Amino acid sequence: MRMGPAELVQAAAMARRFYLEGKSKIQIAEEFGVSRFKVARVLETALERDLVRIEIRVPAELDAERSDALRARYGLRHAVVVESPAEEQEDAPDPENLGEVAADLLGELVAEGDVLGLAWGRSTIHMAAALDRLPPCTVVQLTGVYDAGTAERGSVEAVRRAAQVSGGEAHPIYAPMLLPDPATAAALRDQTGIARAFEYFDKVTVAAVSIGSWEPGISTVHDMLSDEERAHYASLGVAAEMSAHLFDAEGRRVGRDLGERCITVEADRLRRIPEVVAIAGGQRKAAAIGAVLRSGLVTSLVTDTAAADYLLTESAAGVRPALERADPDGE
């Protein structure tokens, strides 16, 4: 039915009180001398007749619809999807804007007194470089570096940068991620500085990690191994790598012997960290991201639309709520 001028004026006034001034329906009812049910009907009519238009606006680079769908599908605490570059190269690394968005997310998640853990990865390094706010917290390195000679521009520098922004302590690890044999790795873990960092692993409350797919240039660990070793782990069905832990397509850990040669946080410790944010995107990493989400090791994800579209259409088989932190190997 057509609304008369008095009804239009009243509807506009009630809508202004409710949507702009934040008054309750009861307060509006008292002011206009009607029931709150009448107010509810008027507000509903105002929306139907286009007297009120509600817009939900987020920055252009964020895709709110995909973010919410991804969060719901995988049972994540937070999922943030950013627009992929207009001309994404198939062999490109993670879009750098993932790091910028992840830096803002950490600014939300980290509270004063927290212990922030940073694992090696190009995305986490970009994130640390983009940090401009963090409450006072301790920052600890969760893995060794890709190459000891690159420590100053890699994960050691990322830890220092985060600690500088927060004004807290930094606990870097001056050691390679991958060692020639378990004995060398064990000896390094016993060194004072590295042992001190490891002591903080059980205190970490928020962690940021990267994900790699098992192929050249996309997985740091893959690139550090010999051809024979790569072929061996490929034969085990490895589909993804995170912090030197290998996973098959269902999220189960494979090639555990590799961990004995690595300076990295153990998977069981990662699972106990309350908030683990994975930062990864791009078409080449999409399947690997899905595998890690099935592992139960991460609680939140920052990714791009290219990876999100794959994750939202892949088979739901094996998908469990990430917040259950369920271990696929325990089934």
Side-chain angles (χ1 to χ4, degrees), residues 299-322:
T299 59
S300 297
L301 175 68
V302 178
T303 191
D304 68 343
T305 52
D309 285 344
Y310 172 88
L311 293 168
L312 291 170
T313 56
E314 71 164 349
S315 170
V319 174
R320 297 181 59 174

Side-chain angles (χ1 to χ4, degrees), residues 240-261:
E241 175 262 318
M242 181 181 71
S243 303
H245 300 295
L246 309 182
F247 307 88
D248 67 12
E250 303 305 318
R252 294 183 292 261
R253 290 180 59 209
V254 296
R256 295 183 183 226
D257 60 305
L258 181 65
E260 298 175 5
R261 298 167 49 195

